[in-house]
């Protein structure tokens, strides 16, 4: 795929992709939406680092924007910032398929999932589900064309679909875990002292020392058995590791991969018990499996044999990910869902969307892969390791992202690691706040 030849895309391709990907917003009106008179100019290039321009929506649709605007890539608004002059189908395609990140990867290699590597990018692109908001705007536009003045009411009851996911990174506290987390706490202590936050730095340093020496068991399976009835949770998934264990591993594998044996009898029994509580089991690939199809194949087979059932959902360990290789390898190995697309170091909408979609295959604008990508919007460590927040601050941060999901009727995943629910990490109160928030419906009226 040549990103210097983006203009080779046809408007028909863009419309077809957008209509299909956003079909939940117009289940009975796809043909009419496709016929909206939308500017069909396609930029000649994708500009990185990403710069965004706010496009003011008409007064009747400003509730779908942020401060009445939707952000679009600057190259789309070179000649005009009038909403009627914007190729909205291109903007949807650009966001959903991460065209700018794909170009960055082609030129510099994978960032995996660290936003800080995207130097100089306009981070506002990750702050809202822009694609969903565009869909709501287009639906409202159609209804205005049909003389329906109260068109905003048509999107108020869109179902929100949240996957509550748990990556099973540890069952016991190994030396590798002690070492990694202590180093991480120490790094955060240094970072806080450089910011002038002496008190926060001391807390982080004390936490590091206590973590290294304290004994803890991470068998927190029972805490995952929650009541999902009447909540926003449409699916709960525990992703399990099935790579090498013990002394068969290299030093890198000992340092970065989990250490437990998925086929051990007591572990299998716990996982089967979770299945009985309506919790799906997925694969949490090893550190190097993001680009190794054979590793992914062998690991998925271990889980299938251990649990005697098919495994169709997955998330890459450490969110190790490449647009060029990862989805392709997962698809070849029979996976139907992936929940990797998100950032390690910040919450947000990596592709400006909260929608499950079939990604394009790198190298071919016309071919969609059979796997569905469900974006990952929020992770426990975003609230504890990457930000200094108290309980109130964490609850506000939780609500901010979930409010956005509810407002747009979005589909996304959230991660909470089981090993953080005990005394060692002390993140159980945050998990309780998350469950409480997922059970509280939002009265839609904007965020």
């Amino acid at each position: 795929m040549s990103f210097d030849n983006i203009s080779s895309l046809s408007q028909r391709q863009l419309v077809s992709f957008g209509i299909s990907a956003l079909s939940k917003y117009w289940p009975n009106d796809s043909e009419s939406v496709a016929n909206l008179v939308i500017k069909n100019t396609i930029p000649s290039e994708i500009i990185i680092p990403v710069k965004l321009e706010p496009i003011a929506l008409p007064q009747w649709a400003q509730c779908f924007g942020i401060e009445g605007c939707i952000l679009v890539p600057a190259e789309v608004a070179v000649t005009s910032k009038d909403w009627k002059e914007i190729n909205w189908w291109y903007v949807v395609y650009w966001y959903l398929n991460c065209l700018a990140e794909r170009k960055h990867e082609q030129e510099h290699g994978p960032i995996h999932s660290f936003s800080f590597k995207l130097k100089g990018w306009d981070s506002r692109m990750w702050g809202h589900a822009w694609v969903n908001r565009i869909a709501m705007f287009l639906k409202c536009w159609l209804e205005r064309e049909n003389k329906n003045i109260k068109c905003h009411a048509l999107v108020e009851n869109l179902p929100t679909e949240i996957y509550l996911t748990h990556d099973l990174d540890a069952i016991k506290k190994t030396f590798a875990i002690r070492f990694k987390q202590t180093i991480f706490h120490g790094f955060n202590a240094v970072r806080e002292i450089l910011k002038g936050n002496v008190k926060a730095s001391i807390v982080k340093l004390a936490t590091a020392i206590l973590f290294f020496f304290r004994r803890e068991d991470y068998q927190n399976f029972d805490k995952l058995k929650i009541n999902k009835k009447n909540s926003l949770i449409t699916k709960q998934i525990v992703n399990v590791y099935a790579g090498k264990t013990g002394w068969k591993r290299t030093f890198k594998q000992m340092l970065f991969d989990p250490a437990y044996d998925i086929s051990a009898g007591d572990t299998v029994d716990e996982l089967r018990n979770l299945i009985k509580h309506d919790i799906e089991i997925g694969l949490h690939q090893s550190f190097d499996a993001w680009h190794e199809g054979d590793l992914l194949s062998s690991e998925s087979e271990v889980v299938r044999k251990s649990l005697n059932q098919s495994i169709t959902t997955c998330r890459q360990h450490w969110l190790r990910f490449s647009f060029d290789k990862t989805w392709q390898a997962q698809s070849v190995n029979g996976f139907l869902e992936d929940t990797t697309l998100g950032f390690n170091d910040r919450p947000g909408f990596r592709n400006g969307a909260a929608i499950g979609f079939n990604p394009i295959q790198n190298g071919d604008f016309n071919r969609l892969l059979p796997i569905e990508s469900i974006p990952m919007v929020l992770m426990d460590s975003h609230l504890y390791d990457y930000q200094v927040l108290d309980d109130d601050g964490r609850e506000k941060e939780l609500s901010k992202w979930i409010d956005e999901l509810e407002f747009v009727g979005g589909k996304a995943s959230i991660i909470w690691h089981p090993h953080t629910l005990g005394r060692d990490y002390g993140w159980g109160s945050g998990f309780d706040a998350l469950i409480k928030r997922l059970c509280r419906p939002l009265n839609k009226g904007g965020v």
Side-chain angles (χ1 to χ4, degrees), residues 29 36 70 108 247 296 300:
D29 297 310
L36 285 171
I70 285 179
H108 305 286
W247 297 106
L296 196 152
S300 60

Side-chain angles (χ1 to χ4, degrees), residues 145 216 381 424:
E145 295 282 311
E216 181 85 43
S381 58
D424 225 355

